[in-house]
Amino acid sequence: MPTPSRLASMAWVVFATACSGAEPPPPGITTLAADPEPYVRTSARPGATRPAATPAPNAQGTRGDPWPDTAMTPFARAVARVVFAAMEGQPWPADSPLTVGRPDGQPRIEVADGQPPAGALRVLCFYAEVECSFPATTPTPPAPAPGVPPPPAPGGPAVGNLELGLLLCGTGLRVVEVDEDPGRVHEPLPPGAAGIGRAAAEVLAAFALGRGEELLLRESDRDALGGDPLFQRAMRERLRPDQLARVQQAAARHGQPTGFRLDDMGIVALDAQGPIGLQIDVEHSQGQIVLDGPPFVRVRRFGR
């Protein structure tokens, strides 16, 4: 299934445009306080541990959420608590599935356009990119015609990874992005994040059965995305029937994933000025999912 670009790239790129590394932030990006020591993106330092934490207040997190019970809901709620702990300068939650691999210095957040969230925030959605890998298989070449020498043996196993953009909102789990790329074989997720791997496997199983249409955004999701602006932009990028068919064929061809890798994640919330994205980046190191920062949360207002 050739995909020179993502089959669906939508408003959620708010989460993917955050600056990283030691370079100065691009125009329009400000930080809330000076970083006490420069940050350079590298592998997580050996032996990284979670800072002192306070017990999680309840299963819903500090702000509640509209999410139904799904395989990924506990993980989404745990990540939401991490995001708001960073936003408010609070200790990291005790149940955090993410390890902090860098010094926890200010700034914890970075804000686009210099406009922090206005007033109370209402949680709308959780977004995550999940790359799924599959057992390596060596394709069987077609039998050569009589008198034609056989083709050379393939150089190695053929592995095609499927990356899913998963959105959890008040109306359920939705697929907003799909991409297929060659990639390395990943490992199972650590226990604290296993639920999102199960959710990705369930999504791929539904696609393999030809039921992918049921997981795409629809009119009934409008209010769950905070109204027209975000919903209309999302619907413009909805998988077309031909794209959906290719994705379903790829899911059937691959079967069940055996490894996963998480990339960009974040919360879509609503403040007094409209929907915003609270994005985090993570890395994988030594069997842990490492929260990339500081800054740990990048705030991006949709439409800017």
Side-chain angles (χ1 to χ4, degrees), residues 234-255:
M235 289 298 287
R236 287 198 297 269
E237 303 296 341
R238 194 174 188 267
L239 288 177
R240 301 190 307 269
D242 61 316
Q243 294 172 326
L244 177 61
R246 290 200 302 271
V247 172
Q248 293 186 148
Q249 291 169 5
R253 181 174 69 249
H254 284 303

Side-chain angles (χ1 to χ4, degrees), residues 43-45 48 97-102 281-286 288-293:
S43 300
R45 58 184 173 87
L98 310 177
T99 296
V100 177
R102 300 288 176 198
D281 299 321
V282 296
E283 298 176 348
H284 290 242
S285 177
Q286 301 177 0
Q288 298 178 322
I289 302 174
V290 182
L291 181 62
D292 202 6

Side-chain angles (χ1 to χ4, degrees), residues 12-16 67 72 75-84 98 123-130 165-169 176 196 262-269 276-282 291 296-300 302:
W12 323 115
V13 297
V14 156
F15 294 130
W67 305 328
M72 68 185 287
F75 178 76
R77 287 175 174 158
V79 170
R81 290 192 288 275
V82 170
V83 167
F84 286 114
L98 310 177
V123 174
L124 295 176
C125 311
F126 169 72
Y127 171 80
E129 291 181 359
V130 187
L166 302 181
L167 187 75
L168 179 64
C169 56
V176 295
I196 194 167
L262 304 182
D263 194 0
D264 294 328
M265 294 188 290
I267 303 297
V268 181
I276 58 174
L278 311 175
Q279 181 249 347
I280 66 174
D281 299 321
V282 296
L291 181 62
F296 296 102
V297 178
R298 295 172 172 84
V299 181
R300 298 292 188 272
F302 287 95

